[in-house]
Amino acid sequence: MRKLVLVLIVILSVLVFSQQVTLRMIQVFTSPLRTKVLEDIISKFEAQNPGVKIELISPPYETAYQKIYLMVSAEEPLDIVEVGDWSLSALASMGKLLSLEPYLAKSELTKHLVPGVLEAARTYKGTAYLLPNAIYVKTLFYRPDVISKYGITPPAKTMDELLEHCRRLTKPEVGQYGFDFRGKGYPTAFIDIVMTSFFDDIDPNCMYLKRDGKLIFEDPRALEAIKFYIELFKTAPKDSIN
């Protein structure tokens, strides 16, 4: 009888461990190259964790956030959700995200994170609900071959210089413009850089707050920033903003 019980236990153990677990992950910043990077990470994770498979959901970037909000609010099965720190509060306020604090307290990972990452992760009620898989920096590109023809060296270092140079370069009659706005969507929004450049007292943990806790949009400097943004747009093609 004892042998039968032992055999039964072994069979049950084999059945339990042979079951494959599938985790569903949805990404936001969908692009061929970036998706390939995520797929490589997933492959390494699956190799290190036999029996675990990750299903990657890759909606078009333009509709990704709407799909995530819909899936989360409808309680569709999702295990890993990619989210930007600027949209964290929308998902965290639904009460659907797991606090990572207990895991961070036991992890050696925190020693290897870039300074400021944990602060950014804790922007919602001081609790870490996310950890970055990448850090994005907005970059302004310029054409050395064009600005050199107009004696603009070095390139602009201040916003006022930028506007001045763009005005000098703008010649609509020959199809030449001083500035161009890139695409659409929050991550490519240039207005954030314009707005915050007018402030020297931004909260380092939240770009929309001043150090006194008040919104930057309530400050007169925000109006000056909007006026600057409009002037800069006048140096760009009319269809520059979608």
Side-chain angles (χ1 to χ4, degrees), residues 217-238:
F217 305 110
E218 299 172 346
D219 191 288
R221 288 172 289 181
L223 180 58
E224 294 304 311
I226 291 295
K227 291 178 179 178
F228 179 94
Y229 187 81
I230 294 172
E231 289 302 312
L232 189 61
F233 175 69
K234 291 178 181 178
T235 71
K238 298 307 177 186

Side-chain angles (χ1 to χ4, degrees), residues 52-134:
V52 179
K53 179 177 176 58
I54 295 182
E55 175 190 342
L56 180 62
I57 304 171
S58 304
Y61 170 71
E62 290 78 7
T63 60
Y65 274 110
Q66 291 89 329
K67 185 173 181 64
I68 288 174
Y69 295 147
L70 179 61
M71 293 183 71
V72 171
S73 60
E75 298 189 349
E76 294 187 36
L78 274 180
D79 300 287
I80 307 169
V81 179
E82 186 175 51
V83 60
D85 54 353
W86 59 84
S87 58
L88 169 64
S89 59
L91 282 173
S93 62
M94 295 180 185
K96 306 295 185 181
L97 298 184
L98 180 70
S99 170
L100 300 181
E101 293 296 346
Y103 304 95
L104 291 174
K106 302 176 184 178
S107 176
E108 295 290 317
L109 175 67
T110 54
K111 298 179 181 179
H112 306 286
L113 296 177
V114 175
V117 164
L118 283 179
E119 289 80 358
R122 292 176 171 137
T123 54
Y124 183 77
K125 296 186 177 180
T127 301
Y129 288 102
L130 61 82
L131 278 179
N133 57 22

